[in-house]
Amino acid sequence: LASSSLSLATTLAAQAANTVYDSGSTTITSPDSITGLDSYIIGDTGTATVNVVNPGSLSSQYDLTLGNASTGVGTLTTSGAVSLTANRIYVGIDGEGTLTVGDGGTITATGVDRRVVLGWAVGSRATVTLSGASTRMTAGDLLVSNSGQAEMTVSDARKLATGRSEP
């Protein structure tokens, strides 16, 4: 973890020890992974920005969430050939989530669920931007605007692969 002005908290839940970024901003420059039922949450109840730059990566066997609670605002931006991997990727569960991936970054939903969800609940907002010639997103399911607002922009990206997409 490099150059950080972010408040990093580890929240112990009944089943998981989540890595929560809930205020400020940070830059991740090396691979980071968590296992089991642990999740990354960016913008749980506060406002946080995480930048992941090559050769950095985030990998979770469970969830990657941006904008968790209604007051949560989470922003995740990548630069270079960065990998984001999780079983489920939520952009805007109840809050506001922004995901920007470019310059060859990859987003992969793996595991049992293999799901990317944009704008889950009423009042939530999701913005996803994929750009760059070798940028890709791969998921079993892509759910755009379950009940919230969602906007997805794909420009010059080589691949957006899903098993099923729902508006």
Side-chain angles (χ1 to χ4, degrees), residues 102-146:
D103 303 324
T106 61
I107 308 160
T108 307
T110 62
V112 176
D113 293 320
R114 298 179 30 238
R115 181 173 298 150
V116 174
V117 178
L118 314 178
W120 178 253
V122 172
S124 66
R125 186 168 47 200
T127 304
V128 174
T129 304
L130 306 176
S131 63
S134 56
T135 298
R136 65 180 1 176
M137 175 187 278
T138 305
D141 292 324
L142 173 62
L143 178 59
V144 179
S145 186
N146 180 62

PDB file of all heavy atoms in Angstrom, residues 102-146:
ATOM      1  N   GLY A 102      -9.310   1.250 -17.291  1.00  0.00           N
ATOM      2  CA  GLY A 102      -8.755   1.557 -18.596  1.00  0.00           C
ATOM      3  C   GLY A 102      -7.357   1.035 -18.750  1.00  0.00           C
ATOM      4  O   GLY A 102      -6.790   0.428 -17.842  1.00  0.00           O
ATOM      5  N   ASP A 103      -6.810   1.264 -19.911  1.00  0.00           N
ATOM      6  CA  ASP A 103      -5.405   0.950 -20.188  1.00  0.00           C
ATOM      7  C   ASP A 103      -5.053  -0.515 -19.967  1.00  0.00           C
ATOM      8  O   ASP A 103      -4.004  -0.832 -19.422  1.00  0.00           O
ATOM      9  CB  ASP A 103      -4.468   1.817 -19.323  1.00  0.00           C
ATOM     10  CG  ASP A 103      -4.687   3.298 -19.519  1.00  0.00           C
ATOM     11  OD1 ASP A 103      -4.982   3.695 -20.663  1.00  0.00           O
ATOM     12  OD2 ASP A 103      -4.590   4.046 -18.537  1.00  0.00           O
ATOM     13  N   GLY A 104      -5.954  -1.431 -20.341  1.00  0.00           N
ATOM     14  CA  GLY A 104      -5.635  -2.851 -20.246  1.00  0.00           C
ATOM     15  C   GLY A 104      -6.038  -3.524 -18.961  1.00  0.00           C
ATOM     16  O   GLY A 104      -5.655  -4.661 -18.711  1.00  0.00           O
ATOM     17  N   GLY A 105      -6.834  -2.869 -18.123  1.00  0.00           N
ATOM     18  CA  GLY A 105      -7.301  -3.479 -16.883  1.00  0.00           C
ATOM     19  C   GLY A 105      -8.332  -4.559 -17.140  1.00  0.00           C
ATOM     20  O   GLY A 105      -9.015  -4.564 -18.168  1.00  0.00           O
ATOM     21  N   THR A 106      -8.457  -5.494 -16.207  1.00  0.00           N
ATOM     22  CA  THR A 106      -9.462  -6.552 -16.323  1.00  0.00           C
ATOM     23  C   THR A 106     -10.303  -6.616 -15.054  1.00  0.00           C
ATOM     24  O   THR A 106      -9.795  -6.452 -13.953  1.00  0.00           O
ATOM     25  CB  THR A 106      -8.831  -7.942 -16.570  1.00  0.00           C
ATOM     26  OG1 THR A 106      -8.001  -8.277 -15.468  1.00  0.00           O
ATOM     27  CG2 THR A 106      -8.032  -7.966 -17.854  1.00  0.00           C
ATOM     28  N   ILE A 107     -11.594  -6.855 -15.248  1.00  0.00           N
ATOM     29  CA  ILE A 107     -12.528  -7.086 -14.156  1.00  0.00           C
ATOM     30  C   ILE A 107     -13.085  -8.478 -14.378  1.00  0.00           C
ATOM     31  O   ILE A 107     -13.639  -8.757 -15.451  1.00  0.00           O
ATOM     32  CB  ILE A 107     -13.696  -6.084 -14.188  1.00  0.00           C
ATOM     33  CG1 ILE A 107     -13.178  -4.662 -14.258  1.00  0.00           C
ATOM     34  CG2 ILE A 107     -14.623  -6.283 -13.002  1.00  0.00           C
ATOM     35  CD1 ILE A 107     -14.217  -3.705 -14.771  1.00  0.00           C
ATOM     36  N   THR A 108     -12.966  -9.338 -13.383  1.00  0.00           N
ATOM     37  CA  THR A 108     -13.429 -10.704 -13.546  1.00  0.00           C
ATOM     38  C   THR A 108     -14.258 -11.116 -12.337  1.00  0.00           C
ATOM     39  O   THR A 108     -13.784 -11.054 -11.204  1.00  0.00           O
ATOM     40  CB  THR A 108     -12.243 -11.680 -13.699  1.00  0.00           C
ATOM     41  OG1 THR A 108     -11.388 -11.214 -14.750  1.00  0.00           O
ATOM     42  CG2 THR A 108     -12.739 -13.078 -14.036  1.00  0.00           C
ATOM     43  N   ALA A 109     -15.498 -11.511 -12.593  1.00  0.00           N
ATOM     44  CA  ALA A 109     -16.350 -12.082 -11.552  1.00  0.00           C
ATOM     45  C   ALA A 109     -16.159 -13.598 -11.632  1.00  0.00           C
ATOM     46  O   ALA A 109     -16.478 -14.214 -12.653  1.00  0.00           O
ATOM     47  CB  ALA A 109     -17.803 -11.693 -11.770  1.00  0.00           C
ATOM     48  N   THR A 110     -15.597 -14.183 -10.564  1.00  0.00           N
ATOM     49  CA  THR A 110     -15.275 -15.608 -10.555  1.00  0.00           C
ATOM     50  C   THR A 110     -16.032 -16.298  -9.431  1.00  0.00           C
ATOM     51  O   THR A 110     -16.733 -15.664  -8.661  1.00  0.00           O
ATOM     52  CB  THR A 110     -13.766 -15.817 -10.337  1.00  0.00           C
ATOM     53  OG1 THR A 110     -13.422 -15.284  -9.059  1.00  0.00           O
ATOM     54  CG2 THR A 110     -12.942 -15.173 -11.419  1.00  0.00           C
ATOM     55  N   GLY A 111     -15.865 -17.570  -9.304  1.00  0.00           N
ATOM     56  CA  GLY A 111     -16.484 -18.305  -8.209  1.00  0.00           C
ATOM     57  C   GLY A 111     -17.879 -18.783  -8.562  1.00  0.00           C
ATOM     58  O   GLY A 111     -18.254 -18.890  -9.726  1.00  0.00           O
ATOM     59  N   VAL A 112     -18.676 -19.042  -7.542  1.00  0.00           N
ATOM     60  CA  VAL A 112     -20.014 -19.598  -7.717  1.00  0.00           C
ATOM     61  C   VAL A 112     -20.962 -18.612  -8.382  1.00  0.00           C
ATOM     62  O   VAL A 112     -21.669 -18.952  -9.327  1.00  0.00           O
ATOM     63  CB  VAL A 112     -20.588 -20.057  -6.353  1.00  0.00           C
ATOM     64  CG1 VAL A 112     -22.017 -20.539  -6.502  1.00  0.00           C
ATOM     65  CG2 VAL A 112     -19.719 -21.141  -5.749  1.00  0.00           C
ATOM     66  N   ASP A 113     -20.995 -17.367  -7.917  1.00  0.00           N
ATOM     67  CA  ASP A 113     -21.966 -16.396  -8.427  1.00  0.00           C
ATOM     68  C   ASP A 113     -21.546 -15.734  -9.730  1.00  0.00           C
ATOM     69  O   ASP A 113     -22.382 -15.494 -10.588  1.00  0.00           O
ATOM     70  CB  ASP A 113     -22.257 -15.320  -7.377  1.00  0.00           C
ATOM     71  CG  ASP A 113     -22.975 -15.884  -6.174  1.00  0.00           C
ATOM     72  OD1 ASP A 113     -23.856 -16.740  -6.376  1.00  0.00           O
ATOM     73  OD2 ASP A 113     -22.646 -15.480  -5.053  1.00  0.00           O
ATOM     74  N   ARG A 114     -20.290 -15.371  -9.873  1.00  0.00           N
ATOM     75  CA  ARG A 114     -19.762 -14.738 -11.091  1.00  0.00           C
ATOM     76  C   ARG A 114     -20.677 -13.610 -11.575  1.00  0.00           C
ATOM     77  O   ARG A 114     -21.107 -13.571 -12.698  1.00  0.00           O
ATOM     78  CB  ARG A 114     -19.581 -15.781 -12.181  1.00  0.00           C
ATOM     79  CG  ARG A 114     -18.599 -16.850 -11.809  1.00  0.00           C
ATOM     80  CD  ARG A 114     -18.405 -17.930 -12.853  1.00  0.00           C
ATOM     81  NE  ARG A 114     -18.598 -17.471 -14.206  1.00  0.00           N
ATOM     82  CZ  ARG A 114     -19.505 -18.005 -15.040  1.00  0.00           C
ATOM     83  NH1 ARG A 114     -20.274 -18.979 -14.637  1.00  0.00           N
ATOM     84  NH2 ARG A 114     -19.611 -17.555 -16.265  1.00  0.00           N
ATOM     85  N   ARG A 115     -20.963 -12.644 -10.696  1.00  0.00           N
ATOM     86  CA  ARG A 115     -21.975 -11.629 -10.971  1.00  0.00           C
ATOM     87  C   ARG A 115     -21.409 -10.222 -10.816  1.00  0.00           C
ATOM     88  O   ARG A 115     -20.688  -9.932  -9.875  1.00  0.00           O
ATOM     89  CB  ARG A 115     -23.131 -11.825  -9.998  1.00  0.00           C
ATOM     90  CG  ARG A 115     -24.265 -10.869 -10.157  1.00  0.00           C
ATOM     91  CD  ARG A 115     -25.426 -11.250  -9.280  1.00  0.00           C
ATOM     92  NE  ARG A 115     -25.902 -12.556  -9.700  1.00  0.00           N
ATOM     93  CZ  ARG A 115     -26.468 -13.435  -8.889  1.00  0.00           C
ATOM     94  NH1 ARG A 115     -26.639 -13.156  -7.613  1.00  0.00           N
ATOM     95  NH2 ARG A 115     -26.874 -14.591  -9.342  1.00  0.00           N
ATOM     96  N   VAL A 116     -21.775  -9.346 -11.771  1.00  0.00           N
ATOM     97  CA  VAL A 116     -21.511  -7.913 -11.671  1.00  0.00           C
ATOM     98  C   VAL A 116     -22.869  -7.232 -11.614  1.00  0.00           C
ATOM     99  O   VAL A 116     -23.724  -7.448 -12.484  1.00  0.00           O
ATOM    100  CB  VAL A 116     -20.687  -7.382 -12.864  1.00  0.00           C
ATOM    101  CG1 VAL A 116     -20.548  -5.870 -12.797  1.00  0.00           C
ATOM    102  CG2 VAL A 116     -19.307  -8.049 -12.908  1.00  0.00           C
ATOM    103  N   VAL A 117     -23.099  -6.424 -10.563  1.00  0.00           N
ATOM    104  CA  VAL A 117     -24.388  -5.762 -10.337  1.00  0.00           C
ATOM    105  C   VAL A 117     -24.162  -4.260 -10.288  1.00  0.00           C
ATOM    106  O   VAL A 117     -23.342  -3.784  -9.504  1.00  0.00           O
ATOM    107  CB  VAL A 117     -25.045  -6.250  -9.030  1.00  0.00           C
ATOM    108  CG1 VAL A 117     -26.359  -5.524  -8.782  1.00  0.00           C
ATOM    109  CG2 VAL A 117     -25.253  -7.756  -9.057  1.00  0.00           C
ATOM    110  N   LEU A 118     -24.911  -3.522 -11.100  1.00  0.00           N
ATOM    111  CA  LEU A 118     -24.825  -2.065 -11.150  1.00  0.00           C
ATOM    112  C   LEU A 118     -26.153  -1.472 -10.712  1.00  0.00           C
ATOM    113  O   LEU A 118     -27.182  -1.744 -11.320  1.00  0.00           O
ATOM    114  CB  LEU A 118     -24.510  -1.584 -12.572  1.00  0.00           C
ATOM    115  CG  LEU A 118     -23.390  -2.298 -13.329  1.00  0.00           C
ATOM    116  CD1 LEU A 118     -23.247  -1.723 -14.722  1.00  0.00           C
ATOM    117  CD2 LEU A 118     -22.095  -2.215 -12.564  1.00  0.00           C
ATOM    118  N   GLY A 119     -26.146  -0.639  -9.648  1.00  0.00           N
ATOM    119  CA  GLY A 119     -27.368   0.016  -9.187  1.00  0.00           C
ATOM    120  C   GLY A 119     -28.383  -0.945  -8.606  1.00  0.00           C
ATOM    121  O   GLY A 119     -29.436  -1.170  -9.179  1.00  0.00           O
ATOM    122  N   TRP A 120     -28.095  -1.489  -7.424  1.00  0.00           N
ATOM    123  CA  TRP A 120     -28.930  -2.531  -6.840  1.00  0.00           C
ATOM    124  C   TRP A 120     -30.254  -2.010  -6.279  1.00  0.00           C
ATOM    125  O   TRP A 120     -31.320  -2.437  -6.687  1.00  0.00           O
ATOM    126  CB  TRP A 120     -28.159  -3.267  -5.745  1.00  0.00           C
ATOM    127  CG  TRP A 120     -28.973  -4.319  -5.066  1.00  0.00           C
ATOM    128  CD1 TRP A 120     -29.501  -4.265  -3.814  1.00  0.00           C
ATOM    129  CD2 TRP A 120     -29.394  -5.566  -5.613  1.00  0.00           C
ATOM    130  NE1 TRP A 120     -30.203  -5.406  -3.538  1.00  0.00           N
ATOM    131  CE2 TRP A 120     -30.160  -6.223  -4.641  1.00  0.00           C
ATOM    132  CE3 TRP A 120     -29.190  -6.199  -6.841  1.00  0.00           C
ATOM    133  CZ2 TRP A 120     -30.723  -7.472  -4.839  1.00  0.00           C
ATOM    134  CZ3 TRP A 120     -29.756  -7.444  -7.041  1.00  0.00           C
ATOM    135  CH2 TRP A 120     -30.507  -8.072  -6.048  1.00  0.00           C
ATOM    136  N   ALA A 121     -30.225  -1.102  -5.315  1.00  0.00           N
ATOM    137  CA  ALA A 121     -31.441  -0.699  -4.591  1.00  0.00           C
ATOM    138  C   ALA A 121     -31.967   0.652  -5.082  1.00  0.00           C
ATOM    139  O   ALA A 121     -31.251   1.436  -5.711  1.00  0.00           O
ATOM    140  CB  ALA A 121     -31.143  -0.617  -3.096  1.00  0.00           C
ATOM    141  N   VAL A 122     -33.220   0.912  -4.750  1.00  0.00           N
ATOM    142  CA  VAL A 122     -33.826   2.211  -5.053  1.00  0.00           C
ATOM    143  C   VAL A 122     -32.960   3.297  -4.420  1.00  0.00           C
ATOM    144  O   VAL A 122     -32.580   3.199  -3.260  1.00  0.00           O
ATOM    145  CB  VAL A 122     -35.273   2.284  -4.505  1.00  0.00           C
ATOM    146  CG1 VAL A 122     -35.833   3.679  -4.638  1.00  0.00           C
ATOM    147  CG2 VAL A 122     -36.153   1.265  -5.207  1.00  0.00           C
ATOM    148  N   GLY A 123     -32.625   4.321  -5.180  1.00  0.00           N
ATOM    149  CA  GLY A 123     -31.797   5.410  -4.685  1.00  0.00           C
ATOM    150  C   GLY A 123     -30.311   5.212  -4.909  1.00  0.00           C
ATOM    151  O   GLY A 123     -29.525   6.140  -4.739  1.00  0.00           O
ATOM    152  N   SER A 124     -29.903   4.012  -5.283  1.00  0.00           N
ATOM    153  CA  SER A 124     -28.479   3.771  -5.556  1.00  0.00           C
ATOM    154  C   SER A 124     -28.123   4.289  -6.941  1.00  0.00           C
ATOM    155  O   SER A 124     -28.987   4.474  -7.795  1.00  0.00           O
ATOM    156  CB  SER A 124     -28.148   2.279  -5.455  1.00  0.00           C
ATOM    157  OG  SER A 124     -28.807   1.556  -6.473  1.00  0.00           O
ATOM    158  N   ARG A 125     -26.816   4.535  -7.131  1.00  0.00           N
ATOM    159  CA  ARG A 125     -26.361   5.015  -8.432  1.00  0.00           C
ATOM    160  C   ARG A 125     -25.032   4.361  -8.768  1.00  0.00           C
ATOM    161  O   ARG A 125     -24.126   4.314  -7.925  1.00  0.00           O
ATOM    162  CB  ARG A 125     -26.225   6.529  -8.412  1.00  0.00           C
ATOM    163  CG  ARG A 125     -25.897   7.106  -9.768  1.00  0.00           C
ATOM    164  CD  ARG A 125     -26.043   8.590  -9.839  1.00  0.00           C
ATOM    165  NE  ARG A 125     -25.397   9.243  -8.702  1.00  0.00           N
ATOM    166  CZ  ARG A 125     -25.678  10.468  -8.310  1.00  0.00           C
ATOM    167  NH1 ARG A 125     -26.585  11.171  -8.933  1.00  0.00           N
ATOM    168  NH2 ARG A 125     -25.052  10.991  -7.292  1.00  0.00           N
ATOM    169  N   ALA A 126     -24.912   3.875 -10.000  1.00  0.00           N
ATOM    170  CA  ALA A 126     -23.691   3.220 -10.461  1.00  0.00           C
ATOM    171  C   ALA A 126     -23.229   3.838 -11.765  1.00  0.00           C
ATOM    172  O   ALA A 126     -24.036   4.077 -12.666  1.00  0.00           O
ATOM    173  CB  ALA A 126     -23.945   1.728 -10.667  1.00  0.00           C
ATOM    174  N   THR A 127     -21.930   4.070 -11.845  1.00  0.00           N
ATOM    175  CA  THR A 127     -21.311   4.546 -13.080  1.00  0.00           C
ATOM    176  C   THR A 127     -20.106   3.664 -13.352  1.00  0.00           C
ATOM    177  O   THR A 127     -19.216   3.542 -12.495  1.00  0.00           O
ATOM    178  CB  THR A 127     -20.863   6.013 -12.962  1.00  0.00           C
ATOM    179  OG1 THR A 127     -21.979   6.808 -12.581  1.00  0.00           O
ATOM    180  CG2 THR A 127     -20.293   6.514 -14.278  1.00  0.00           C
ATOM    181  N   VAL A 128     -20.077   3.039 -14.529  1.00  0.00           N
ATOM    182  CA  VAL A 128     -18.962   2.182 -14.911  1.00  0.00           C
ATOM    183  C   VAL A 128     -18.447   2.646 -16.266  1.00  0.00           C
ATOM    184  O   VAL A 128     -19.233   2.837 -17.196  1.00  0.00           O
ATOM    185  CB  VAL A 128     -19.372   0.695 -14.985  1.00  0.00           C
ATOM    186  CG1 VAL A 128     -18.237  -0.160 -15.514  1.00  0.00           C
ATOM    187  CG2 VAL A 128     -19.830   0.197 -13.625  1.00  0.00           C
ATOM    188  N   THR A 129     -17.134   2.818 -16.347  1.00  0.00           N
ATOM    189  CA  THR A 129     -16.498   3.199 -17.605  1.00  0.00           C
ATOM    190  C   THR A 129     -15.366   2.226 -17.899  1.00  0.00           C
ATOM    191  O   THR A 129     -14.476   2.030 -17.066  1.00  0.00           O
ATOM    192  CB  THR A 129     -15.928   4.636 -17.534  1.00  0.00           C
ATOM    193  OG1 THR A 129     -16.977   5.529 -17.179  1.00  0.00           O
ATOM    194  CG2 THR A 129     -15.325   5.051 -18.861  1.00  0.00           C
ATOM    195  N   LEU A 130     -15.427   1.603 -19.066  1.00  0.00           N
ATOM    196  CA  LEU A 130     -14.376   0.708 -19.530  1.00  0.00           C
ATOM    197  C   LEU A 130     -13.784   1.329 -20.787  1.00  0.00           C
ATOM    198  O   LEU A 130     -14.517   1.623 -21.737  1.00  0.00           O
ATOM    199  CB  LEU A 130     -14.931  -0.675 -19.868  1.00  0.00           C
ATOM    200  CG  LEU A 130     -15.735  -1.398 -18.793  1.00  0.00           C
ATOM    201  CD1 LEU A 130     -16.287  -2.705 -19.333  1.00  0.00           C
ATOM    202  CD2 LEU A 130     -14.886  -1.646 -17.571  1.00  0.00           C
ATOM    203  N   SER A 131     -12.465   1.521 -20.809  1.00  0.00           N
ATOM    204  CA  SER A 131     -11.838   2.094 -22.003  1.00  0.00           C
ATOM    205  C   SER A 131     -10.448   1.507 -22.190  1.00  0.00           C
ATOM    206  O   SER A 131      -9.833   1.032 -21.245  1.00  0.00           O
ATOM    207  CB  SER A 131     -11.758   3.617 -21.884  1.00  0.00           C
ATOM    208  OG  SER A 131     -10.936   3.978 -20.796  1.00  0.00           O
ATOM    209  N   GLY A 132      -9.988   1.543 -23.411  1.00  0.00           N
ATOM    210  CA  GLY A 132      -8.655   1.034 -23.724  1.00  0.00           C
ATOM    211  C   GLY A 132      -8.729  -0.251 -24.513  1.00  0.00           C
ATOM    212  O   GLY A 132      -9.617  -1.082 -24.308  1.00  0.00           O
ATOM    213  N   ALA A 133      -7.791  -0.404 -25.413  1.00  0.00           N
ATOM    214  CA  ALA A 133      -7.816  -1.495 -26.382  1.00  0.00           C
ATOM    215  C   ALA A 133      -7.832  -2.890 -25.771  1.00  0.00           C
ATOM    216  O   ALA A 133      -8.452  -3.795 -26.309  1.00  0.00           O
ATOM    217  CB  ALA A 133      -6.635  -1.365 -27.340  1.00  0.00           C
ATOM    218  N   SER A 134      -7.185  -3.105 -24.638  1.00  0.00           N
ATOM    219  CA  SER A 134      -7.151  -4.460 -24.082  1.00  0.00           C
ATOM    220  C   SER A 134      -7.898  -4.570 -22.758  1.00  0.00           C
ATOM    221  O   SER A 134      -7.728  -5.529 -22.019  1.00  0.00           O
ATOM    222  CB  SER A 134      -5.704  -4.930 -23.939  1.00  0.00           C
ATOM    223  OG  SER A 134      -4.980  -4.024 -23.150  1.00  0.00           O
ATOM    224  N   THR A 135      -8.745  -3.607 -22.453  1.00  0.00           N
ATOM    225  CA  THR A 135      -9.552  -3.648 -21.234  1.00  0.00           C
ATOM    226  C   THR A 135     -10.676  -4.663 -21.424  1.00  0.00           C
ATOM    227  O   THR A 135     -11.263  -4.765 -22.493  1.00  0.00           O
ATOM    228  CB  THR A 135     -10.127  -2.249 -20.941  1.00  0.00           C
ATOM    229  OG1 THR A 135      -9.031  -1.364 -20.731  1.00  0.00           O
ATOM    230  CG2 THR A 135     -11.022  -2.257 -19.723  1.00  0.00           C
ATOM    231  N   ARG A 136     -10.984  -5.414 -20.341  1.00  0.00           N
ATOM    232  CA  ARG A 136     -12.046  -6.424 -20.471  1.00  0.00           C
ATOM    233  C   ARG A 136     -12.785  -6.621 -19.157  1.00  0.00           C
ATOM    234  O   ARG A 136     -12.226  -6.448 -18.082  1.00  0.00           O
ATOM    235  CB  ARG A 136     -11.489  -7.740 -20.958  1.00  0.00           C
ATOM    236  CG  ARG A 136     -10.549  -8.394 -20.008  1.00  0.00           C
ATOM    237  CD  ARG A 136      -9.972  -9.712 -20.452  1.00  0.00           C
ATOM    238  NE  ARG A 136     -10.407 -10.119 -21.746  1.00  0.00           N
ATOM    239  CZ  ARG A 136      -9.979 -11.186 -22.369  1.00  0.00           C
ATOM    240  NH1 ARG A 136      -9.084 -11.946 -21.808  1.00  0.00           N
ATOM    241  NH2 ARG A 136     -10.418 -11.524 -23.540  1.00  0.00           N
ATOM    242  N   MET A 137     -14.072  -6.992 -19.285  1.00  0.00           N
ATOM    243  CA  MET A 137     -14.894  -7.379 -18.142  1.00  0.00           C
ATOM    244  C   MET A 137     -15.494  -8.739 -18.468  1.00  0.00           C
ATOM    245  O   MET A 137     -16.059  -8.926 -19.544  1.00  0.00           O
ATOM    246  CB  MET A 137     -16.015  -6.382 -17.874  1.00  0.00           C
ATOM    247  CG  MET A 137     -16.958  -6.825 -16.747  1.00  0.00           C
ATOM    248  SD  MET A 137     -18.408  -5.764 -16.542  1.00  0.00           S
ATOM    249  CE  MET A 137     -17.704  -4.456 -15.582  1.00  0.00           C
ATOM    250  N   THR A 138     -15.397  -9.671 -17.522  1.00  0.00           N
ATOM    251  CA  THR A 138     -15.935 -11.008 -17.717  1.00  0.00           C
ATOM    252  C   THR A 138     -16.771 -11.374 -16.497  1.00  0.00           C
ATOM    253  O   THR A 138     -16.308 -11.252 -15.366  1.00  0.00           O
ATOM    254  CB  THR A 138     -14.799 -12.036 -17.901  1.00  0.00           C
ATOM    255  OG1 THR A 138     -13.965 -11.620 -18.969  1.00  0.00           O
ATOM    256  CG2 THR A 138     -15.364 -13.418 -18.203  1.00  0.00           C
ATOM    257  N   ALA A 139     -18.015 -11.805 -16.757  1.00  0.00           N
ATOM    258  CA  ALA A 139     -18.926 -12.188 -15.670  1.00  0.00           C
ATOM    259  C   ALA A 139     -19.914 -13.225 -16.180  1.00  0.00           C
ATOM    260  O   ALA A 139     -20.231 -13.258 -17.366  1.00  0.00           O
ATOM    261  CB  ALA A 139     -19.677 -10.960 -15.163  1.00  0.00           C
ATOM    262  N   GLY A 140     -20.418 -14.059 -15.273  1.00  0.00           N
ATOM    263  CA  GLY A 140     -21.489 -14.976 -15.626  1.00  0.00           C
ATOM    264  C   GLY A 140     -22.791 -14.213 -15.826  1.00  0.00           C
ATOM    265  O   GLY A 140     -23.545 -14.479 -16.752  1.00  0.00           O
ATOM    266  N   ASP A 141     -23.045 -13.238 -14.947  1.00  0.00           N
ATOM    267  CA  ASP A 141     -24.246 -12.402 -15.019  1.00  0.00           C
ATOM    268  C   ASP A 141     -23.859 -10.940 -14.905  1.00  0.00           C
ATOM    269  O   ASP A 141     -23.024 -10.581 -14.069  1.00  0.00           O
ATOM    270  CB  ASP A 141     -25.224 -12.707 -13.870  1.00  0.00           C
ATOM    271  CG  ASP A 141     -25.850 -14.077 -13.968  1.00  0.00           C
ATOM    272  OD1 ASP A 141     -26.133 -14.522 -15.086  1.00  0.00           O
ATOM    273  OD2 ASP A 141     -26.052 -14.700 -12.906  1.00  0.00           O
ATOM    274  N   LEU A 142     -24.498 -10.102 -15.709  1.00  0.00           N
ATOM    275  CA  LEU A 142     -24.362  -8.652 -15.607  1.00  0.00           C
ATOM    276  C   LEU A 142     -25.763  -8.102 -15.406  1.00  0.00           C
ATOM    277  O   LEU A 142     -26.616  -8.229 -16.274  1.00  0.00           O
ATOM    278  CB  LEU A 142     -23.736  -8.060 -16.871  1.00  0.00           C
ATOM    279  CG  LEU A 142     -23.692  -6.535 -16.955  1.00  0.00           C
ATOM    280  CD1 LEU A 142     -22.849  -5.946 -15.824  1.00  0.00           C
ATOM    281  CD2 LEU A 142     -23.151  -6.100 -18.316  1.00  0.00           C
ATOM    282  N   LEU A 143     -26.002  -7.526 -14.232  1.00  0.00           N
ATOM    283  CA  LEU A 143     -27.305  -6.953 -13.903  1.00  0.00           C
ATOM    284  C   LEU A 143     -27.151  -5.442 -13.853  1.00  0.00           C
ATOM    285  O   LEU A 143     -26.440  -4.911 -13.006  1.00  0.00           O
ATOM    286  CB  LEU A 143     -27.808  -7.485 -12.558  1.00  0.00           C
ATOM    287  CG  LEU A 143     -29.133  -6.936 -12.052  1.00  0.00           C
ATOM    288  CD1 LEU A 143     -30.260  -7.218 -13.046  1.00  0.00           C
ATOM    289  CD2 LEU A 143     -29.456  -7.517 -10.694  1.00  0.00           C
ATOM    290  N   VAL A 144     -27.803  -4.752 -14.786  1.00  0.00           N
ATOM    291  CA  VAL A 144     -27.713  -3.299 -14.884  1.00  0.00           C
ATOM    292  C   VAL A 144     -29.014  -2.707 -14.384  1.00  0.00           C
ATOM    293  O   VAL A 144     -30.076  -2.962 -14.953  1.00  0.00           O
ATOM    294  CB  VAL A 144     -27.431  -2.856 -16.334  1.00  0.00           C
ATOM    295  CG1 VAL A 144     -27.360  -1.343 -16.434  1.00  0.00           C
ATOM    296  CG2 VAL A 144     -26.139  -3.492 -16.841  1.00  0.00           C
ATOM    297  N   SER A 145     -28.956  -1.960 -13.304  1.00  0.00           N
ATOM    298  CA  SER A 145     -30.100  -1.269 -12.711  1.00  0.00           C
ATOM    299  C   SER A 145     -31.189  -2.215 -12.247  1.00  0.00           C
ATOM    300  O   SER A 145     -32.260  -2.291 -12.822  1.00  0.00           O
ATOM    301  CB  SER A 145     -30.683  -0.240 -13.687  1.00  0.00           C
ATOM    302  OG  SER A 145     -31.698   0.494 -13.044  1.00  0.00           O
ATOM    303  N   ASN A 146     -30.910  -2.924 -11.162  1.00  0.00           N
ATOM    304  CA  ASN A 146     -31.926  -3.753 -10.533  1.00  0.00           C
ATOM    305  C   ASN A 146     -33.093  -2.867 -10.105  1.00  0.00           C
ATOM    306  O   ASN A 146     -34.214  -3.061 -10.544  1.00  0.00           O
ATOM    307  CB  ASN A 146     -31.335  -4.496  -9.335  1.00  0.00           C
ATOM    308  CG  ASN A 146     -32.336  -5.377  -8.652  1.00  0.00           C
ATOM    309  OD1 ASN A 146     -32.853  -6.301  -9.258  1.00  0.00           O
ATOM    310  ND2 ASN A 146     -32.631  -5.086  -7.389  1.00  0.00           N
TER     311      ASN A 146
END
